[in-house]
Amino acid sequence: MPARLYAMDTAKGIGIAFVVFGHAWRGAYDAGLLTDSDLFRWVDAVIYAWHMPLFFFLSGIFFLELLKRRAPFAFFKDRGLRLLWPISL
């Protein structure tokens, strides 16, 4: 079994925490709990500018390593089935 990369786990954890905070932040604004719209827009822009790209970056780091382990056709077939099979139910 390969060793865990705790730096990647930490980065994902930080990203997840900011996703939760971002949703709570928007919910608080929509509920009228935050009155400073300039502050809301600034924090919202800062959070949403980097947290989703972080997840794409982290998944991209592992993509090439996964692709090296299997033939490309088998890899994409397996991934496609994992994504499309639940949709067809």
Side-chain angles (χ1 to χ4, degrees):
M1 177 187 284
R4 292 209 54 100
L5 299 173
Y6 292 106
M8 298 299 169
D9 291 340
T10 301
K12 287 190 283 185
I14 290 169
I16 290 168
F18 274 97
V19 167
V20 171
F21 177 79
H23 284 281
W25 183 254
R26 285 183 171 184
Y29 184 76
D30 290 342
L33 300 174
L34 301 172
T35 57
D36 188 346
S37 61
D38 291 334
L39 175 65
F40 167 77
R41 282 194 295 274
W42 183 82
V43 171
D44 193 64
V46 168
I47 291 171
Y48 284 88
W50 67 270
H51 82 273
M52 286 309 293
L54 172 70
F55 293 121
F56 283 105
F57 174 75
L58 292 174
S59 65
I61 288 174
F62 297 109
F63 177 75
L64 289 177
E65 189 61 37
L66 289 171
L67 193 57
K68 287 180 198 175
R69 294 182 193 170
R70 300 178 64 185
F73 179 76
F75 175 81
F76 286 111
K77 178 183 171 192
D78 179 56
R79 294 295 166 154
L81 288 174
R82 284 186 188 186
L83 291 171
L84 298 176
W85 180 74
I87 294 171
S88 67
L89 296 178

